[in-house]
């Protein structure tokens, strides 16, 4: 039997098939970018890599939506859409700035506490000191700690730091861990995301009450360093952390590392001690890639465009949302 289809039939069949494909494509785009399958829960539009990238894995931990992203041969780790860290050069810069300035001022360097060190990169930097005897690295998210210990690309980058015999890893909220132990440390590092509307409970790791507990857990000649990484976007955040540390009884020396030209970032830090320290006391005793003497002089000078916010003396407590409000106002102005 011969079947004939005229031109008009072919035309309308083609139109129909095209409409079906178009509707399916719209449905897929909605599901991926706006609906239940949205990648924006894992990689925000503001922080996605430049150029082509590939999402290797999407995982929901009890604490956050985690994405592992491959971009230009590197692996990036995202939490709730925000870039946390990666096997990238600016992570090397940040880790050196966070760790080595306080380590240069610590009276001893035998026992170190890192809160938020699941990636193992800051632990790697502390292990460069031969006089370090024990590092306690705490992270609330077991999945992040597992990546730091077992994910090949990250283990290579952190040089196996979290599997080193000097390192004790703890899966627990940082504050709960500190409150439950009478131990003392020579240096304490707080390297966790800023409190925000997404994670308001993080304020308890930046609060006056917690800093007072840390003061009791710090050796008399010890040092605490609190990361305030988004200095270029929220300079008032650093000054609020400083005000809170001062209210807890510390002397504070803020500093920063400017990588605006290279990475559009300026990393801020609040270094707290029991005695007043001067910038000219900082002399890093081990080789570093990025912390030259000239760079150190620049780091302790806070530019005016940040310093003009230093009158912000709002103190974070367990019962207010000072830091989260600063963050949300800066990043959610839409």
């Amino acid at each position: 039997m011969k079947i004939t289809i005229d031109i008009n039939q072919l035309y309308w069949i083609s139109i129909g098939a095209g409409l079906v494909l178009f509707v399916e494509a719209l449905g897929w785009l909605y599901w991926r970018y706006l609906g239940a399958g949205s990648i924006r829960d894992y990689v925000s539009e503001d922080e996605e890599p430049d150029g082509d990238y590939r999402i290797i894995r999407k995982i929901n931990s009890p604490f956050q939506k985690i994405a592992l992203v491959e971009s230009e041969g590197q692996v990036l780790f995202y939490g709730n859409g925000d870039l946390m860290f990666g096997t990238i050069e600016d992570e090397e810069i940040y880790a050196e700035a966070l760790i080595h300035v306080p380590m240069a001022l610590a009276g001893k360097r035998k026992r170190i506490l890192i809160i938020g060190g699941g990636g193992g990169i800051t632990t790697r930097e502390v292990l460069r000191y031969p006089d370090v005897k024990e590092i306690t690295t705490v992270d609330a998210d077991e999945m992040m700690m597992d990546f730091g210990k077992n994910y090949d690309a990250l283990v290579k980058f952190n040089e196996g730091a979290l599997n080193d015999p000097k390192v004790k890893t703890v899966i627990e909220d940082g504050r709960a861990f500190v409150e439950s132990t009478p131990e003392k440390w020579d240096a304490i590092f707080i390297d966790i995301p800023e409190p925000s509307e997404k994670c308001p409970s993080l304020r308890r790791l930046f609060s006056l009450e917690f800093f007072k507990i840390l003061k009791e857990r710090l050796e008399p000649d010890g040092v605490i360093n609190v990361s305030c990484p988004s200095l270029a976007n929220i300079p008032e955040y650093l000054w609020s952390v400083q005000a809170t540390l001062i209210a807890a009884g510390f002397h504070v020396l803020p500093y920063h590392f400017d990588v605006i030209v290279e990475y559009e970032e300026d990393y801020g830090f609040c270094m707290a001690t029991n005695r007043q320290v001067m910038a000219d006391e900082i002399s890093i005793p081990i080789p570093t890639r990025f912390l030259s003497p000239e760079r150190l002089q620049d780091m302790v000078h806070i530019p005016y465009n940040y310093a003009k916010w230093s009158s912000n003396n709002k103190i974070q407590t367990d019962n207010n949302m000072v830091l989260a409000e600063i963050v949300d106002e800066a990043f959610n102005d839409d």
Side-chain angles (χ1 to χ4, degrees), residues 31-32 36-39 42 55-60 66-68:
W31 177 86
R32 180 173 174 82
S38 172
I39 65 168
Y42 296 87
I55 297 179
I56 304 169
R57 292 178 65 185
K58 293 191 300 184
I59 314 120
N60 291 342
I66 299 170
L68 276 62

Side-chain angles (χ1 to χ4, degrees), residues 35 120 134 146 150 189 238 250 263 268 272 298 322 325:
E134 179 183 296
D146 183 66
N150 300 305
F189 297 91
L238 179 142
F250 289 105
Y263 302 110
D298 177 68
V322 163
E325 288 169 358

